[in-house]
Amino acid sequence: MSSTVIVSIKGLTRSFGDVRAVAGVDLDIYEGEFITLLGPSGSGKTTVLRMIAGFEKPDSGSIELAGKDVSQLPPYERDVNTVFQDYALFPHMNVISNIEYGLKVKGIAKQDCSSRALEALRQVRLEGYGERKPSQLSGGQRQRVALARALVNRPSVLLLDEPLGALDLKLREQMQIELKELQRAVGITFIFVTHDQEEALTMSDRIAVFNNGKIEQLGTPREIYENPISAFVSEFVGQTNKIMIEGSRINIRPELVSVSKSAPSGNRSLQGTLRDVIFVGATTRYLVDTHAGTVISVVPVADLRVGDAVTVSWDKEKEFLVH
Ligand code: ADP
Ligand code: MG
């Protein structure tokens, strides 16, 4: 990732009737970066992406691509490509023809179209699938073709709107890793939209957390997760305990809470009763009822039984105070 700004968004707004979909977004995106726009449904992510692509006009504000204001340019005059969740492949064309199509329309020589299409097919690890029709591919393979169709144009920026949303969990997790590796290999700037916080944490160099048409926080996955600047961010990204203590509400991550039958290990502690132990594969969740509500820990502990009197504790410094 370089220090050159490739996309610069300033004061971007867009309303639909009474709905302020995008309510003032400023964002600089660096060349070669994998940035994710993360937020709940309706928070304005797609609208921002569509304005970068040129499918939607801003009410105010500007978008620069490689130093040039493109706000008033049509989509085809912008050096960006979009990958959508529904692959929108041509069903009657085979994979290679689907990938070549855009290049042919641009009038690129036939031979170059073929070699570039084959290269794109290799990049998405679908060598040997060129002759198949989309109907002869799995959902994950179709999504790779859609990706190849965008990559073949060698855009400087690739926009991806929930591209993995239609895949089942296992395949989605696999594609997250592949997509990240592919992005590193091709060096194209990816602007990725998702409402899935785990996906955002897994893939991104930086995350912009959206809330009500605005960026609530911008930072690396670690910054966002460890130092959320608001209750919204700490609750939207990762799991959190919401607890009332001494009249204020605090949030604490379950992995920072320990449970024991003896002395507490942190400088904040609550007495309680172990209500339940839930096995969720890689982790175990301990639910402890306290006077301040149920507290969840995921720190493994031996020899506890439901009904035991226990202490939950954590370090005050690790809490997040909710204003
Ligand atoms: P997200 O992608 O984060 O789910 P969107 O950008 O799609 O959010 O939508 C933001 C808000 O703008 C929502 O309230 C949505 O209903 C509204 N909106 C988006 N596009 C349109 C449109 N074409 N017409 C009317 N309302 C829209
Ligand atoms: Mg959307």
Side-chain angles (χ1 to χ4, degrees):
M1 194 175 109
S2 80
S3 56
T4 308
V5 172
I6 182 120
V7 180
S8 184
I9 297 172
K10 293 194 179 76
L12 200 64
T13 69
R14 178 73 162 107
S15 295
F16 299 99
D18 291 342
V19 179
R20 250 169 104 67
V22 178
V25 165
D26 296 280
L27 180 61
D28 279 346
I29 297 169
Y30 298 100
E31 206 170 69
E33 181 172 30
F34 194 122
I35 191 165
T36 297
L37 315 185
L38 170 69
S41 174
S43 59
K45 309 177 298 290
T46 293
T47 306
V48 168
L49 213 66
R50 287 173 58 80
M51 288 193 281
I52 298 172
F55 300 130
E56 205 78 68
K57 280 260 166 69
D59 293 335
S60 63
S62 67
I63 298 167
E64 287 182 8
L65 275 176
K68 183 178 159 203
D69 190 336
V70 298
S71 312
Q72 303 306 317
L73 293 182
Y76 56 85
E77 284 181 31
R78 303 183 186 201
D79 189 14
V80 302
N81 271 94
T82 309
V83 178
F84 301 99
Q85 184 187 113
D86 51 20
Y87 326 110
L89 301 176
F90 299 117
H92 58 286
M93 288 186 194
N94 70 18
V95 166
I96 277 286
S97 305
N98 262 284
I99 299 172
E100 283 178 339
Y101 181 79
L103 298 178
K104 286 196 167 150
V105 168
K106 280 192 207 160
I108 290 169
K110 197 163 190 275
Q111 206 176 345
D112 293 340
C113 292
S114 309
S115 63
R116 279 170 66 171
L118 283 171
E119 188 199 343
L121 207 54
R122 187 183 49 73
Q123 283 172 337
V124 299
R125 308 196 0 204
L126 279 182
E127 304 100 316
Y129 286 80
E131 301 304 318
R132 295 209 192 178
K133 290 277 173 60
S135 61
Q136 296 169 306
L137 300 174
S138 69
Q141 289 167 336
R142 280 204 284 271
Q143 188 53 283
R144 281 171 217 235
V145 176
L147 196 61
R149 204 172 50 171
L151 287 171
V152 79
N153 295 306
R154 300 181 184 151
S156 45
V157 178
L158 194 62
L159 309 174
L160 303 104
D161 196 354
E162 313 240 4
L164 310 180
L167 308 177
D168 63 48
L169 181 64
K170 200 76 182 249
L171 184 57
R172 203 161 74 223
E173 288 176 345
Q174 185 193 330
M175 288 286 286
Q176 287 168 6
I177 293 164
E178 278 188 29
L179 204 54
K180 176 73 201 154
E181 287 172 354
L182 174 72
Q183 187 269 338
R184 280 211 192 102
V186 297
I188 294 174
T189 306
F190 275 32
I191 308 178
F192 187 92
V193 163
T194 185
H195 65 272
D196 182 324
Q197 47 97 13
E198 215 170 287
E199 190 159 285
L201 292 171
T202 305
M203 303 178 78
S204 321
D205 293 317
R206 287 191 304 160
I207 298 172
V209 183
F210 273 68
N211 186 18
N212 286 325
K214 288 192 175 139
I215 295 178
E216 182 124 341
Q217 187 171 3
L218 175 67
T220 63
R222 189 172 283 274
E223 283 163 1
I224 299 274
Y225 187 81
E226 291 181 352
N227 294 304
I229 62 146
S230 65
F232 172 81
V233 176
S234 81
E235 285 158 27
F236 192 72
V237 182
Q239 306 290 319
T240 196
N241 284 297
K242 298 178 237 177
I243 306 166
M244 282 296 291
I245 291 182
E246 295 160 15
S248 21
R249 210 183 98 199
I250 61 112
N251 285 354
I252 183 82
R253 300 284 189 204
E255 66 272 26
L256 300 175
V257 173
S258 60
V259 183
S260 77
K261 280 202 276 192
S262 49
S265 54
N267 57 15
R268 177 79 91 182
S269 65
L270 294 169
Q271 304 301 314
T273 308
L274 186 65
R275 182 172 96 199
D276 210 349
V277 178
I278 302 168
F279 174 72
V280 269
T283 56
T284 301
R285 297 160 69 90
Y286 301 89
L287 275 55
V288 177
D289 286 337
T290 75
H291 72 85
T294 302
V295 180
I296 298 174
S297 163
V298 291
V299 180
V301 52
D303 297 330
L304 284 188
R305 287 207 174 76
V306 169
D308 281 354
V310 292
T311 304
V312 284
S313 66
W314 61 90
D315 287 333
K316 256 184 178 170
E317 299 71 46
K318 302 277 175 66
E319 307 175 343
F320 176 73
L321 187 63
V322 179
H323 302 285

